[in-house]
Every structure is written in C-alpha cells, then in structure tokens.
C-alpha cells in the first residue's frame, strides 16, 4: 500500500505563516527598503534632479559632508540634544509612571491624561506655543521681570545657548508623557505581590525601585531608548519652527540641514542630501544595534 504524499503539518504551518506575512513584507520592501536603495544610488550622483550624473570620485558626496562645517555643526547640535534630552525625559517618564501607578492615588485617570496630553498636540502647534512663550515679550520674560529676576526681557531664541535650552525643554515637555505610557503599561504587568514581598523583607522605596522595578522594566526601557534616539537623530520640527536653525545656524539639526540642501536653498542638491540622509540612517541603525546588544540578556 502506497503512502499518501503531501506536506507535513510543520510545512503547512510554515507556508501558512509566509502567506500571512507576504503582504506586509511586500509593503515594507516597497515603502522602506526600495527607497533606501534608491537613496544610496542617488547619493553617488551629482547635478540637478533633471540631469544627474555619477560622481567622480564615486563617493565624493560622503567625503564632502565631513568637510562641510555646517553639517558637522548640525551633527554636534543633534547629539547635544540627544545626550541631554533623552536621559532626562526617560527618567522623568519612569518616575511619573511610578507615581501614577500607585493604587491609592485618586484621580489617576485625570493625572495620566494631563501628562500624556502634550503628546497629542500638533508638532507645529506646540513649537509655535513655545516660540511665543519664550519670546522677548512672552510669558516667561513677563514672569521673570515681574519677579525682578530680570530687568528687561531676555532674547531666549536669539542666543545660541538659551535657544538650544528652549528646544530641549520643548522636547522634554512633549515626549515625556508618550514614554510614560509605555512604562505605565510595563508596571501594570508587574504583580503587586512582588512589591509586598520586598516590603516584608525590609526593602525601602529606593531599593524596590532599583532592584525590582528597573530590572523588570528593562525591555521597555531599551525599547523607549531606541525610539527616543531614533526620533532625536531625525529631529526636524523644533529646529525649523522654533528657531529656524538660528541664530546663525547654531541650533540647526541634521534633518533640517538635509531639508535645506534638498529644497530650502533654491538649488535642489538631491545627491548631497541623499548622502547625508544615508549617513543618518547608518547612525540610527548602529545606535539601535548597540542598545539591543546591551539590553539582550539571553545566554
């Protein structure tokens, strides 16, 4: 008697899985990977969009970007925002999530909504709000002069150091609540009995936070860290709408400079802009890989 030929159960499951994944895979390939390849090819060319030719030497755009003092400054500005803003924002998000996860806290829903509300604000709207707040005759200067801290209004957006500080404050205000939601979801998945057991063993609040909460939230912390780094390296709206890169390009970010190179100067330099964009993509990929390696605790 001949055995019936056919696919085994595991093979059928594998084929079924690939069938379900195929539409998403095709969409990601078309919308993500194909533009990456096209951007890399374009980064090797020069000229206007209508008549682009290959560079001589081929990697001239990549060499040029590291000799471009303005692009180097934009890299420094972006990393300054990254190094200062991301740690402060994530620490505040964890602390707020810890406080709002207290089962005895009343009106938790109201407080959570208030903290998350800035995230629901339009990027352009909140940038314009901060621009008016820190204007020479804005609310912040009005308060400082009425308290006799300042004699006259200070030009926050007209000085390099204070303009960068305003951008950092704006980023922290908007994105802290967004990250808090992830930490709050992670905290709600931790059994309360774990904290009760720690309390019985004599652990205080600091020991509980650093030895129970943070280790159990490690996957969430790694995820929010990667997303925050990714977002900060591509920072654009705040630089454009708050300071327009000024004063004297002292607050310009990489994405802002890439945009100016491609569209903002009147001459569309797509090849050079593509090279800088590919450099940002490599930075994001490397930093994300480092974070994943550091956070991977598997043997």
């Amino acid at each position: 008697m001949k055995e019936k030929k056919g696919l085994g159960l595991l093979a059928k499951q594998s084929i079924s899985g690939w069938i379900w994944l195929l539409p998403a895979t095709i969409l990601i390939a078309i919308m993500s990977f194909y533009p990456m390849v096209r951007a890399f090819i374009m980064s090797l060319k020069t000229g206007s969009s209508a008549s682009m030719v290959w560079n001589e030497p081929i990697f001239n755009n990549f060499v040029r970007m590291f000799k471009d003092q303005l692009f180097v400054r934009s890299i420094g500005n972006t990393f300054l925002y990254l190094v200062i803003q991301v740690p402060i924002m994530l620490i505040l998000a964890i602390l707020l999530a810890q406080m709002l996860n207290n089962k005895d806290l009343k009106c938790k829903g109201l407080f959570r909504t208030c903290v998350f509300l800035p995230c629901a604000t339009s990027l352009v709207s909140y940038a314009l709000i901060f621009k008016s707040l820190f204007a020479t005759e804005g609310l912040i200067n009005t308060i400082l002069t009425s308290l006799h801290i300042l004699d006259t209004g200070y030009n926050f957006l007209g000085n390099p150091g204070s303009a960068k500080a305003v951008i950092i404050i704006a980023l922290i205000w908007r994105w802290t609540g967004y990250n808090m939601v992830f930490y709050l979801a992670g905290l709600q998945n931790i059994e309360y009995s774990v904290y009760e057991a720690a309390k019985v063993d004599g652990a205080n609040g600091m020991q509980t936070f650093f030895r129970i909460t943070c280790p159990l939230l490690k996957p969430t912390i790694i995820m929010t860290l990667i997303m925050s780094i990714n977002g900060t390296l591509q920072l654009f709206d705040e630089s454009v709408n708050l300071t327009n890169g000024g004063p004297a390009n002292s607050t310009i970010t990489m994405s802002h400079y890439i945009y100016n190179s491609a569209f903002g100067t009147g001459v569309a330099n797509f090849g050079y802009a593509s090279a800088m964009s590919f450099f940002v993509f490599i930075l994001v990929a490397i930093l994300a890989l480092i974070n994943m390696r550091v956070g991977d605790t598997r043997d």
Side-chain angles (χ1 to χ4, degrees), residues 28-40:
I28 291 171
I30 293 173
M31 303 300 292
S32 295
F33 292 109
Y34 177 71
M36 290 178 195
V37 174
R38 289 290 301 167
F40 180 70

Side-chain angles (χ1 to χ4, degrees), residues 155-169:
N155 189 3
F156 286 100
L157 299 176
N159 293 280
S162 57
K164 291 174 184 177
V166 171
I167 290 177
I168 290 169
I169 292 168

Side-chain angles (χ1 to χ4, degrees), residues 4-237:
K4 293 182 178 179
K5 294 183 179 179
L7 295 173
L9 180 60
L10 290 175
K12 289 180 180 179
Q13 289 177 341
S14 178
I15 292 171
S16 176
W18 278 109
I19 289 172
W20 286 106
L21 285 173
L22 192 60
T25 304
I26 293 172
L27 188 62
I28 291 171
I30 293 173
M31 303 300 292
S32 295
F33 292 109
Y34 177 71
M36 290 178 195
V37 174
R38 289 290 301 167
F40 180 70
I41 293 172
M42 190 177 291
S43 70
L44 304 177
K45 295 183 178 182
T46 187
S48 65
S49 57
S51 56
M52 296 190 74
V53 295
W54 295 102
N55 263 317
E56 293 182 6
I58 195 73
F59 291 106
N60 184 56
N61 283 329
F62 291 94
V63 175
R64 174 187 170 187
M65 77 169 70
F66 294 109
K67 295 179 180 179
D68 187 341
Q69 293 300 314
L70 187 52
F71 182 64
V72 172
R73 180 186 296 180
S74 73
I75 296 173
N77 291 337
T78 305
F79 272 90
L80 178 69
Y81 303 142
L82 175 67
V83 170
I84 297 176
Q85 173 255 335
V86 170
I88 295 174
M89 176 185 64
L90 295 184
I91 290 169
L92 283 175
I94 293 175
L95 295 176
L96 286 169
Q98 182 76 10
M99 288 189 289
L100 296 177
N101 193 48
N102 188 344
K103 65 176 184 178
D104 298 323
L105 180 67
K106 295 180 181 179
C107 302
K108 287 189 290 187
L110 175 63
F111 292 130
R112 291 173 183 176
T113 303
C114 290
V115 176
F116 182 75
L117 196 59
C119 182
T121 308
S122 166
L123 285 165
V124 176
S125 299
Y126 104 91
L128 293 176
I129 290 169
F130 269 81
K131 190 172 183 177
S132 63
L133 281 174
F134 287 92
T136 307
E137 297 180 357
L139 179 62
I140 302 299
N141 273 313
T142 302
I143 294 171
L144 292 175
T145 51
S146 64
L147 294 174
H148 302 291
I149 297 173
L150 294 176
D151 295 327
T152 57
Y154 183 75
N155 189 3
F156 286 100
L157 299 176
N159 293 280
S162 57
K164 291 174 184 177
V166 171
I167 290 177
I168 290 169
I169 292 168
L171 289 168
I172 292 170
W173 179 82
R174 189 176 196 277
W175 294 109
T176 297
Y178 177 80
N179 290 285
M180 182 207 68
V181 171
F182 291 102
Y183 295 135
L184 195 57
L187 287 170
Q188 290 175 350
N189 288 326
I190 301 173
E191 292 291 337
Y192 196 74
S193 58
V194 177
Y195 293 107
E196 291 178 335
K199 190 175 181 180
V200 170
D201 290 338
N204 57 35
M206 293 291 288
Q207 290 172 329
T208 302
F209 179 75
F210 285 107
R211 297 187 180 183
I212 295 177
T213 303
C214 289
L216 291 176
L217 280 180
K218 189 175 182 180
T220 309
I221 293 171
I222 296 299
M223 180 191 71
T224 54
L225 183 61
I226 291 171
M227 290 194 304
S228 300
I229 290 172
N230 188 2
T232 307
L233 288 177
Q234 300 177 68
L235 192 62
F236 176 76
D237 294 86

